[in-house]
């Protein structure tokens, strides 16, 4: 590149600061996904165990949901501090998760500063920032951020000098694997890059032993309960590895490349490699970079091998979620940092990779910001919407069952998380309060002299219901008299989900429900009321 090292360093720091500010603003928005409202109470359960059992809790805190015990220990400790200090459990853990995510680009910047690679650092950081998964908006309170912070630090330490085997780097990579096994392709890439450093004969065995022992110690450090009950780790993995009943290999193959429509539970964005990572033009230019840049060519085979391993793992997973791609998509920036000296052609090819990705894949990044801002805006309407819904439900006789497809994010300050550590059920967060607070609707109806107990089910809970939905609609005692199906604006804008919702309408009516008996709009949601016929 033709810019001076000083200017490259200043641009790198400015880009890192801009990214940190943007992500900080995003992480601190008071809108949470359903999984976050589930994980926080679970972390509170484990924190309660720690307070009760002390060090003996290390044998009890396990890899719930296949997330390493270290994730639950740290989330529980941070959440407990946030709750007790008045900051808020959700807010405190969000800040902790933000720092973990910022550790990934920070590892690239520290590497460049230590080794005097200002131009490579600027390009590697820009490449990382232009990847949509660097801006993902799913379960921000999760094991992914901690595992990637550990993996980025371990990989950077190992790849700075591939001629040496550093125990610390493999200790960190082992911890990252223990927290989330999706880091395996990245660890494989690091291992393949270090193959020349293994030597031959007895030296090879000694160095392999050093790698394996350091990684094993890190893995167990992330899951100390394995010392007491090693089989429980495998059992928890198996319980979270059941394939979806609609699994199809060809569909999964296409999903890894491109997801249409790119949405998942709670309408969280969920894209394939070409959407969430590098677009087709950027991938082509990245291939040209590896071919034309002599200093980078040696890392091409390890990168391809790690990508194929990641692909194979995702083909075998129970469901496809794009955050499994995060460790793989860190490989291109690492590869740029490994390039000792960039040629002019190589630099311009990387600029082309970055520019092409900004053009083709900026849409998801914009959507992710808009999505959270829309969450916050709709949460502010919650009281008004509750009053509007209650007004439209006046006159209904008997209990009401709600199928709420209006998921727009959660406000944990009004959720049960305010009772931090007061539950002993890890699954307690599976039914978090939604933007429409049904207990509030019940209270408003009671004020009007109407008794209508409400049972609410949410989009993420009913998304897999099949043709037997109608048979399962009534309460066990057959007392349900009305059903309310709520549809949010986001579902209306997405034909795929609108089709599913229309199917649910048909299934409701196909049971013993009368055709739609009432319809209303309250803010960003539409309500469809059906009456159940007991005949």
């Amino acid at each position: 590149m033709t810019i001076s090292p000083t200017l490259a360093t200043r641009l790198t720091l400015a880009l890192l600061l801009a990214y940190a500010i943007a992500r900080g603003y995003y992480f601190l928005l008071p809108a949470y996904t359903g999984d976050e409202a589930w994980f926080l109470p679970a972390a509170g359960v484990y924190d309660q165990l720690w307070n009760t059992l002390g060090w003996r809790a290390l044998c009890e805190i396990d890899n719930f949901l296949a997330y390493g015990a270290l994730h639950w220990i740290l989330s529980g400790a941070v959440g407990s501090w946030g709750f007790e200090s008045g900051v808020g459990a959700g807010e405190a853990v969000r800040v902790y998760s933000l720092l973990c995510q910022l550790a990934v680009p920070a590892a690239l910047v520290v590497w460049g500063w230590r080794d005097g690679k200002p131009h490579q650092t600027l390009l590697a950081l820009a490449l990382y920032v232009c990847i949509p998964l660097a801006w993902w908006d799913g379960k921000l309170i999760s094991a992914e951020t901690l595992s990637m912070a550990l993996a980025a630090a371990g990989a950077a330490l190992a790849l700075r000098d591939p001629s040496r085997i550093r125990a610390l780097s493999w200790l960190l990579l082992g911890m990252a694997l223990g927290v989330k096994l999706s880091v395996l392709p990245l660890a494989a890439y690091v291992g393949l890059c270090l193959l020349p450093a293994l030597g031959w004969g007895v030296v090879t065995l000694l160095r392999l032993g050093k790698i394996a022992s350091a990684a094993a110690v890190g893995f167990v450090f992330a899951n100390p309960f394995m010392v007491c009950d090693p089989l429980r780790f495998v059992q928890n993995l198996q319980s979270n590895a059941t394939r979806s009943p609609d699994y199809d290999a060809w569909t999964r193959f296409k999903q890894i490349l491109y997801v249409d429509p790119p949405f998942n539970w709670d309408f969280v964005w969920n894209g394939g490699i070409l959407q969430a990572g590098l677009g087709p033009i950027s991938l082509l230019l990245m291939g040209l970079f590896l071919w034309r840049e002599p200093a980078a060519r040696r890392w091409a085979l390890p990168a391809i091998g790690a990508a194929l391993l990641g692909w194979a793992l995702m083909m075998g997973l129970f469901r496809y979620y794009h955050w499994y791609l995060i460790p793989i998509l860190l490989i291109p920036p690492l590869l740029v940092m490994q390039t000792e000296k960039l040629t002019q052609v190589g630099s311009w090819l990387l600029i082309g990779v970055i520019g092409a990705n900004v053009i083709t894949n900026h849409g998801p990044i914009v959507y992710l910001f808009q999505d959270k801002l829309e969450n916050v805006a709709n949460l502010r309407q919650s009281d008004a919407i509750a009053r509007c819904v209650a007004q439209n439900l006046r006159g209904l006789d008997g209990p009401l069952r709600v199928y709420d497809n209006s998921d727009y994010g959660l406000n944990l300050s009004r959720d049960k998380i305010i009772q931090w550590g007061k539950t002993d059920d890890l699954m307690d967060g599976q039914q978090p309060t939604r933007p429409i607070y049904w207990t509030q609707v019940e209270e408003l109806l009671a004020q009007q002299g109407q008794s209508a107990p409400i049972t609410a089910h949410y989009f993420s809970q009913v998304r897999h219901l099949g043709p037997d939905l109608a048979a399962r609609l009534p309460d066990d005692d057959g007392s349900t008299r009305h059903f309310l199906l709520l549809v949010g604006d986001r579902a209306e804008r997405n034909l795929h989900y609108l089709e599913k919702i229309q199917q649910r309408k048909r299934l409701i009516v196909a049971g013993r429900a009368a055709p739609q008996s009432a319809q209303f709009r309250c803010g960003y949601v539409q309500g469809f009321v059906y009456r159940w016929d007991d005949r």
Side-chain angles (χ1 to χ4, degrees), residues 27-66:
F27 267 73
L28 295 179
L29 287 173
Y32 295 74
T33 65
D35 271 2
E36 290 180 288
W38 178 11
F39 298 163
L40 274 168
V45 172
Y46 285 128
D47 182 63
Q48 192 176 18
L49 273 177
W50 187 270
N51 292 335
T52 304
L53 301 177
W55 290 103
R56 289 177 296 161
L58 293 177
C59 288
E60 300 298 328
I61 302 176
D62 62 5
N63 58 325
F64 178 55
L65 301 176

Side-chain angles (χ1 to χ4, degrees), residues 41 55 67 73 147 155 160 246 340 401 445 479:
W55 290 103
Y67 294 166
I73 293 170
S147 67
R160 278 188 61 206
D246 57 355
E340 288 301 322
R401 174 162 292 188
L445 289 173
S479 62

Side-chain angles (χ1 to χ4, degrees), residues 251-325:
T251 301
R252 173 62 56 81
F253 182 87
K254 292 187 293 183
Q255 282 180 324
I256 296 171
L257 279 175
Y258 194 89
V259 180
D260 184 28
F263 298 99
N264 215 303
W265 42 259
D266 289 357
F267 296 102
V268 169
W269 192 81
N270 184 48
I273 291 173
L274 299 179
Q275 301 155 288
L278 296 177
I281 298 173
S282 296
L283 280 175
L284 177 63
L285 292 174
M286 196 70 197
L288 285 174
F289 168 77
L290 292 173
W291 177 53
R292 290 296 304 270
E293 190 66 44
R297 200 174 299 154
R298 60 189 292 201
W299 312 121
L301 285 179
I304 293 170
L308 290 175
L309 174 61
W311 196 295
L313 289 174
M314 284 184 285
M315 285 294 296
L317 288 171
F318 72 117
R319 289 191 185 95
Y320 172 76
Y321 298 124
H322 68 185
W323 45 83
Y324 298 143
L325 293 171

Side-chain angles (χ1 to χ4, degrees), residues 323-340:
W323 45 83
Y324 298 143
L325 293 171
I326 295 176
I328 300 172
L329 294 175
L330 184 57
I331 293 175
L334 289 172
L335 194 150
V336 173
M337 291 302 302
Q338 289 174 264
T339 306
E340 288 301 322

Side-chain angles (χ1 to χ4, degrees), residues 65-356:
L65 301 176
Y67 294 166
L70 184 62
H71 162 68
W72 299 113
I73 293 170
L74 293 178
S75 295
V78 174
S80 179
W81 172 84
F83 178 74
E84 293 173 359
S85 66
V87 171
E91 290 80 355
V93 181
R94 272 280 186 89
V95 171
Y96 152 72
S97 296
L98 169 65
L99 294 176
C100 286
Q101 180 160 60
L102 294 180
V104 176
L108 300 174
V109 173
V110 171
W111 181 355
W113 170 65
R114 293 290 298 272
D115 288 7
K117 295 180 174 180
H119 297 108
Q120 289 96 321
T121 307
L122 175 59
L123 290 169
L125 181 61
L127 182 56
Y128 174 79
V129 168
C130 79
I131 292 173
L133 267 179
W135 304 86
W136 73 304
D137 76 329
K139 43 194 177 119
L140 298 177
I141 295 174
S142 70
E144 276 77 15
T145 54
L146 174 60
S147 67
M148 282 308 300
L150 294 167
L157 186 60
L159 297 176
R160 278 188 61 206
D161 183 3
S163 64
R164 293 179 58 191
I165 304 295
R166 291 182 171 90
L168 179 58
S169 63
W170 286 100
L171 179 74
L172 292 170
L173 285 167
M175 290 170 63
L177 279 167
V179 172
K180 195 75 189 286
L181 283 174
S182 58
V183 172
L184 186 59
L186 178 58
Y189 172 74
V190 175
L192 291 171
C193 289
L194 297 184
L195 281 178
L198 293 179
W200 300 98
V202 176
V203 175
T204 302
L205 294 176
L206 291 174
R207 290 178 177 174
L208 282 174
K210 183 179 180 180
I211 290 174
S213 58
V217 169
F219 196 93
V220 174
F221 184 84
N223 296 281
F225 75 95
M226 292 180 66
V227 176
C228 308
D229 189 358
L231 290 179
R232 188 159 30 133
F233 183 88
V234 179
Q235 291 168 350
N236 284 345
L237 284 184
Q238 290 175 335
S239 66
N240 287 277
T242 304
R243 279 183 178 172
S244 173
D246 57 355
Y247 176 86
D248 176 72
W250 175 238
T251 301
R252 173 62 56 81
F253 182 87
K254 292 187 293 183
Q255 282 180 324
I256 296 171
L257 279 175
Y258 194 89
V259 180
D260 184 28
F263 298 99
N264 215 303
W265 42 259
D266 289 357
F267 296 102
V268 169
W269 192 81
N270 184 48
I273 291 173
L274 299 179
Q275 301 155 288
L278 296 177
I281 298 173
S282 296
L283 280 175
L284 177 63
L285 292 174
M286 196 70 197
L288 285 174
F289 168 77
L290 292 173
W291 177 53
R292 290 296 304 270
E293 190 66 44
R297 200 174 299 154
R298 60 189 292 201
W299 312 121
L301 285 179
I304 293 170
L308 290 175
L309 174 61
W311 196 295
L313 289 174
M314 284 184 285
M315 285 294 296
L317 288 171
F318 72 117
R319 289 191 185 95
Y320 172 76
Y321 298 124
H322 68 185
W323 45 83
Y324 298 143
L325 293 171
I326 295 176
I328 300 172
L329 294 175
L330 184 57
I331 293 175
L334 289 172
L335 194 150
V336 173
M337 291 302 302
Q338 289 174 264
T339 306
E340 288 301 322
K341 186 176 181 181
L342 285 171
T343 63
Q344 284 287 347
V345 173
S347 297
W348 282 111
L349 283 171
L350 287 175
I351 292 172
V353 171
I354 296 163

